[in-house]
Amino acid sequence: MTPASTPALTPDEINQLRDRVLAAQKGAYAIPKLTDDFPAMTIADGYAVQNALRRRLCAEGGRQAGWKIGLTSKAKMLQMGVSVPSIGFLMEDTARAAGSTVTTHDLVHPRVECEIAFFTKTELHGPDCTAEQVLAATDYVVPALEIIDSRFSGFKFDLPSVIADNGSSARFVPGSTRHAVNAFDLSAIHVALEKNGAPVAAGVSDAVLGNPAIAIAMLVNLLAEQGETLPAQSFVMSGAITEAIPVKPGDNIRATFDGMGEIAVQFS
Ligand code: OOG
Ligand code: MG
């Protein structure tokens, strides 16, 4: 077997998969997971496709807002059947305002999750980035919602495929109340998610690798493996605290982050 860190696909195949994923993202349709056609595909290939996607979106005039790490909690790993976190990029045009209405006609099968997001004031770099360094480099934290939308049929994938699909990134909703990292214990934030007034998910932020700052350090170290650093002024999502909840047009979502504030969005 090819090690996960070794590319198995040719540059032509990487570009072919970039085009396949990009078309599914833009056209909001589901495709089979990429490893069905390319069983040799590794995690390194997944990141090669993701990087090609990011270069293409930036070449088209898109601007990167930051990064995300996902699959960082037991709840998410169990829900998705994978055991290693993955990272993806966030584009500015996928940000949505708290309180706004988010359209679903341009998504395949959206799901909502609650996360803590960090905004950095200084650059961070791996390979040995620590949670302490993350906290020192953080300007502020905000509660956030991520709306994920796997482009794979039935939300069924493996790691190389989901990494190529940019970690199912679709929309993100930063909360408006900014908090200093030393204002409270980042590992003890209780979150509750309500859909149409009924509780649908709840958890505590230590579900994310013990502390969301540890997840950001891991993201920085995964970036280092690709020869990248996390620039100052990055918006970074640390991963879902609970499982992700499916939404459809007409749904109202409200997330409460104890001590941090709440975020509501509506889907149309
Ligand atoms: C992959 C993205 C996971 C998170 O916060 O765990 C993620 C997926 O579940 O589709 O964003
Ligand atoms: Mg997420």
Side-chain angles (χ1 to χ4, degrees), residues 68 70-71 76 80 113 115 146 148 155 157 162 167-168 239-240:
K68 59 166 281 181
L71 305 168
K76 283 290 306 191
M80 307 320 300
E113 38 188 46
E115 309 200 9
E146 183 175 25
I148 53 168
F155 241 102
F157 50 67
V162 68
S168 308

Side-chain angles (χ1 to χ4, degrees), residues 84-135:
V84 183
S86 67
I87 64 170
F89 59 84
L90 300 172
M91 299 300 288
E92 274 182 2
D93 64 353
T94 65
R96 295 292 178 272
S100 69
T101 298
V102 176
T103 55
T104 55
H105 69 268
D106 44 359
L107 300 172
V108 186
H109 39 206
R111 295 181 179 181
V112 178
E113 38 188 46
C114 302
E115 309 200 9
I116 313 274
F118 291 62
F119 192 79
T120 60
K121 57 185 175 192
T122 51
E123 184 189 60
L124 280 163
H125 55 85
D128 298 310
C129 182
T130 63
E132 288 68 33
Q133 289 169 347
V134 168
L135 295 176

Side-chain angles (χ1 to χ4, degrees), residues 136-149:
T138 300
D139 193 1
Y140 57 84
V141 290
V142 287
L145 296 179
E146 183 175 25
I147 299 155
I148 53 168
D149 188 35

Side-chain angles (χ1 to χ4, degrees), residues 9 14 16-18 20-21 31-41 45-46 49 151-152 156-158 160-165:
L9 304 187
I14 296 293
Q16 192 184 321
L17 292 181
R18 171 204 62 200
R20 200 187 277 195
V21 170
I31 55 176
K33 64 181 192 303
L34 305 180
T35 44
D36 288 359
D37 277 353
F38 294 89
M41 187 181 180
D45 293 315
V49 176
R151 267 55 64 161
F152 302 121
K156 293 259 181 324
F157 50 67
D158 43 33
S161 298
V162 68
I163 289 167
D165 185 27

